[in-house]
Amino acid sequence: MSRLMEPLAVGRVIGEVVDIFNPSVSLNVVYNSNRQVHNGYELMPPIVAAKPRAEIGGDDMRAAYTLIMTDPDAPSPSDPYLREHLHWMVTDIPGTTDASFGREIVGYESPRPVIGIHRYVFILFKQRGRQTVNPPASRDHFNTRRFSEENRLGLPVAAVYFNAQRETAARRR
């Protein structure tokens, strides 16, 4: 397993959300213009309240990508019966640009964990062509694998995740 994949395996993103894959495109997710998402790092809910900038690498602007943000720990990590909860989906993102150039088919919902530490996972897929991805039926009980299969997206080309938990009054000080 590559060094890029180890944090995804340790964080159980590989296994619970996606199957093992070979990262082939860079994905850079940044909140508030300076808070970059790194695998396993914790970001506080106020920092992730607004939609992030998601920069897509690659070398072909003609390629189209789908970006998914999901919470596999909803409503709580000890009982994730809503697994997964879909927080954001953008399709038809041209390579070498960012998600703002794509088509947002599920609006950004800011993370608001109530119980426990939640993982928020950004998964990037390369599409077979533009306008080939259908919107999901619901945010709850979303399944990244099934969605990928139904839309013929194949394995991811990139993924990154962060952790967040409810901010208590003591942590805000």
Side-chain angles (χ1 to χ4, degrees):
M1 180 177 303
S2 77
R3 294 183 75 184
L4 291 172
M5 300 298 290
E6 283 180 28
L8 295 171
V10 170
R12 298 180 334 274
V13 170
I14 292 176
E16 291 184 9
V17 181
V18 295
D19 295 321
I20 195 164
F21 65 95
N22 287 320
S24 58
V25 174
S26 64
L27 172 61
N28 188 30
V29 180
V30 180
Y31 281 96
N32 294 333
S33 30
N34 66 349
R35 296 292 181 120
Q36 184 171 352
V37 173
H38 295 284
N39 286 321
Y41 282 40
E42 182 175 4
L43 296 175
M44 302 306 281
I47 292 170
V48 297
K51 185 186 325 183
R53 178 176 171 91
E55 300 165 342
I56 312 303
D59 55 5
D60 184 2
M61 199 168 170
R62 293 171 298 192
Y65 295 91
T66 292
L67 178 68
I68 294 170
M69 178 187 177
T70 183
D71 174 2
D73 300 316
S76 78
S78 61
D79 185 20
Y81 65 85
L82 294 178
R83 177 177 288 165
E84 303 162 32
H85 182 78
L86 181 63
H87 279 265
W88 192 32
M89 184 180 292
V90 183
T91 64
D92 300 328
I93 306 167
T96 72
T97 67
D98 67 71
S100 68
F101 290 91
R103 186 170 61 112
E104 187 176 71
I105 61 173
V106 176
Y108 183 78
E109 180 181 294
S110 63
R112 287 185 219 98
V114 177
I115 300 169
I117 299 170
H118 289 240
R119 296 165 293 165
Y120 293 92
V121 186
F122 293 91
I123 307 123
L124 186 68
F125 292 95
K126 186 172 184 178
Q127 296 174 209
R128 296 187 184 274
R130 295 199 188 280
Q131 298 184 356
T132 58
V133 176
N134 297 312
S138 169
R139 286 183 185 262
D140 288 331
H141 304 289
F142 182 78
N143 184 295
T144 299
R145 284 186 185 95
R146 184 175 56 240
F147 183 82
S148 170
E149 192 176 294
E150 289 169 355
N151 288 279
R152 298 179 37 215
L153 294 171
L155 291 173
V157 295
V160 65
Y161 80 101
F162 69 91
N163 295 320
Q165 61 184 310
R166 182 175 173 209
E167 190 172 36
T168 63
R171 291 186 78 191
R172 281 193 289 259
R173 290 185 203 148

